[in-house]
Structure formats: C-alpha cells, structure tokens
C-alpha cells in the first residue's frame, strides 16, 4: 500500500470516527432533549427535516465513494470507459426529481410547523396560563411575576404543567431569550413587548441564557429555570414575599446599570414597571420626532 492509499484510508477512518462521536453525543444536546410541548415539536421538525435531507445526502456520499473507488487510476481497471457519453434521461430524472420532491416535502412540513408553533399562540391546556414579564438588562435578566407580585434576577421558577405566557422586552441592547429544552429563542427588544408561550412537562432544572452578543459580560447572562410542583411554587412565592426586600424605582435604576449580577429576589416591584420599561424609549422617540417637527415648522415660517 503506497502513501496516497494510506492517506485515503486514514481520511475515511477519521470521518467515520467523527460521525460516530457526533451521533453518540446527541443525547447531551439540549434541543434534542425537550422537556415541554413546544420544544418537542421543534425537535420533531429538526429530525424530520434531517431525515428528508438524508434521502439525498446519504446516497450522494455513498455514490461518491463508490465512483472514486471504481474509477480510480490503477492497473487492470475493468470499469467501462465511455468518453462519448453525454446524457441519460433516467439519471436526470433521478438526480433532479428526488431533490425537488424532498424540497417540496420540507416546505409543506415547515409551513405547517411554523403556523402551529407561532410564539404568541397560546398552548392548549385545561390549566390557566401564568404570566412572567422578562426584561433583558446589561448583563442580567429581570423576571416579574405580576400575578404573584414578586420579582427575581437571574432566577426563574415555574410550576410544572402550567403554560407560561412570557412578555419579553429589553432595557439594554437587543438580546435573545432562550430556554433550549422548553422552546426556541425570541428576541428581546427595547420599545417592544414580544410574547412567547412555553411549558415544562417535567420537574427539573433547565438552562436559560441570552443568545445574542451584547458586550463584555454577555457570557454571564444565563439563568436556571426550575420546574417545580404547584405547591412548591406557592411556598417559594410566600418565602420571597416574607424574606426579600422590595424593588423600588431607584433600585431598578441601579439594577439597570451595566453590570453582572448574582441571583436576587424582591417581595414587590413598582406598579406598571414593565409597561414603563417598554414605553421608555418609545416616549423618547416620539419626543424627538415632535422637536424635529417643531423645528421644521419654525424654519418654514
């Protein structure tokens, strides 16, 4: 066996080892280990799309290896030599027809899942949804529970089996709110309130983070999502109300300053705080527009 053959075999074995490593580690990938109905459907879409793409990719890879081996330059080669071959209707139908069918199938399935998984669409459940208001700050997350009257920083507790209606905004550069095992990410933007419904079907602690780069301490914008029983959640709320300080407007202004933060809890927060955060920059924008309009009218006069 010469050097070039040795190199080819080494490359082939390396590829097989990489694929084996990737496939054996799939169970550790968060998005492939869902803990809620939204994440389950998103995982199903990924698996279906991958399977459909494999209908094209796997035969192409196999045929590429076969062709390279069969038509390699060597003594005593018995493969047919057809220098004037130019067209085959059968082959053209196969290598154009199958990909077109696969693409159409992926398109139809993706459209169906896209409408079914529209972020602001409520999750069908006999249980009343619970609202959590999320604010992205530099470099921390503020969670307000308007129905319970409490707030937390970098800690999110939710009752198992209860649909959660997240209202999401930002008082900082745009970020992306993401809990991989519960559902896909959605942007948090200043001046806007995005809606995202998620639900945890199992007890446990899941990883959440900011998935958009926002500067120096971006890597510290992660939080734990604890899925607990309703009784445990009610007990936790009572504990926060009894043992934690109140979040005041001055306290919020200090919290909004760019800095990383440990886990914090608050027994209350100013009424309408979330709405003030959402309209904060919109009001500033409208004021600037009014000033510009007044200046324009003055110039015309």
């Amino acid at each position: 066996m010469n050097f070039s053959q040795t190199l080819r075999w080494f490359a082939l074995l390396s590829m097989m080892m990489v694929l084996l490593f990737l496939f054996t580690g799939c169970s550790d990938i968060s998005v492939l280990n869902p803990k809620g109905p939204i994440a389950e459907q998103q995982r199903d879409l990924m698996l279906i799309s991958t399977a459909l793409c494999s209908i094209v990719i796997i035969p192409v890879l196999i045929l590429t290896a076969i062709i390279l081996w069969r038509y390699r330059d060597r003594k005593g080669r018995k493969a047919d030599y057809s220098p004037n071959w130019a067209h085959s209707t059968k082959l053209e139908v196969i290598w154009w027809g199958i990909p077109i069918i696969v693409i159409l199938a992926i398109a139809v399935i993706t459209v169906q899942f896209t409408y079914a998984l529209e972020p602001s669409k409520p999750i069908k459940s006999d249980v009343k949804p619970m609202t959590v208001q999320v604010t992205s700050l530099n470099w921390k997350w503020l969670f307000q529970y308007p129905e319970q009257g409490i707030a937390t920083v970098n800690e999110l507790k939710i009752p198992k089996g209860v649909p959660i209606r997240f209202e999401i905004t930002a008082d900082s550069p745009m970020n992306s709110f993401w809990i991989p095992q519960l559902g896909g990410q959605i942007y948090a933007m200043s001046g806007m309130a995005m809606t995202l419904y998620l639900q945890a079907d199992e007890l446990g602690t899941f990883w959440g983070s900011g998935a958009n780069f926002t500067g120096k301490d971006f890597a510290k914008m992660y939080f734990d999502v604890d899925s607990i029983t309703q009784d445990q959640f009610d007990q936790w709320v009572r504990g926060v109300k009894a043992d934690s300080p109140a979040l005041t407007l001055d306290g919020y202004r200090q919290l909004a300053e760019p800095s990383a933060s440990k886990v914090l809890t608050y027994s209350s927060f100013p009424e309408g705080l979330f709405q003030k955060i959402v309209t904060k920059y919109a009001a500033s924008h409208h004021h600037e527009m009014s000033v510009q309009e007044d200046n324009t009218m003055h110039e015309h006069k």
Side-chain angles (χ1 to χ4, degrees), residues 239 294 300:
D294 290 342
H300 285 305

Side-chain angles (χ1 to χ4, degrees), residues 166-272:
F166 289 104
E167 297 176 355
I168 304 167
T169 191
D171 195 0
S172 66
M174 181 175 71
N175 210 312
S176 185
F177 178 75
W178 191 27
I179 308 172
Q181 290 185 279
L182 298 186
Q185 59 184 307
I186 189 168
Y187 283 113
M189 295 176 279
S190 59
M192 299 185 67
M194 309 299 289
T195 301
L196 173 67
Y197 278 89
L198 297 177
Q199 177 179 310
D201 287 339
E202 298 182 22
L203 299 175
T205 299
F206 316 124
W207 180 75
S209 77
N212 201 58
F213 181 75
T214 56
K216 180 173 71 73
D217 287 329
F218 154 76
K220 297 178 181 179
M221 283 195 69
Y222 60 87
F223 54 92
D224 285 335
V225 183
D226 294 323
S227 173
I228 54 182
T229 65
Q230 186 65 56
D231 290 340
Q232 290 174 326
F233 179 78
D234 294 338
Q235 183 178 357
W236 172 72
V237 171
R238 288 193 295 268
V240 171
K241 282 184 169 293
D243 303 328
S244 302
L247 177 63
T248 63
L249 280 176
D250 287 338
Y252 172 74
R253 293 188 187 101
Q254 293 177 6
L255 189 66
E257 291 294 323
S259 65
S261 175
K262 61 182 180 180
V263 172
L264 301 171
T265 57
Y266 299 98
S267 59
S268 64
F269 54 85
E271 184 177 355

Side-chain angles (χ1 to χ4, degrees), residues 8 12 15 54-73 95:
R8 284 197 295 267
L12 180 61
M15 290 175 61
S54 298
I55 294 174
V56 174
I57 295 171
I58 292 177
V60 167
L61 293 177
I62 293 174
L63 285 172
T64 299
I66 291 174
I67 290 170
L68 289 174
W69 179 261
R70 179 174 174 79
Y71 294 98
R72 69 192 188 282
D73 185 16
W95 62 51

Side-chain angles (χ1 to χ4, degrees), residues 143-161:
F143 301 103
Q144 299 176 65
Y145 295 75
E147 295 158 10
Q148 290 73 29
I150 64 171
T152 65
V153 173
N154 291 342
E155 181 181 45
L156 178 61
K157 291 186 184 291
I158 57 175
K160 171 198 166 196

Side-chain angles (χ1 to χ4, degrees), residues 5 17 39 42 61 99 106 108-109 125 131 141 150 152 200 207 214 221-222 225 228 234 247 274 287 290:
Q5 289 178 318
M17 290 177 65
Q42 292 174 340
L61 293 177
I106 291 176
V108 171
I109 292 170
S125 175
T131 299
W141 292 95
I150 64 171
T152 65
W207 180 75
T214 56
M221 283 195 69
Y222 60 87
V225 183
I228 54 182
D234 294 338
L247 177 63
F274 184 78
H287 174 70
S290 299

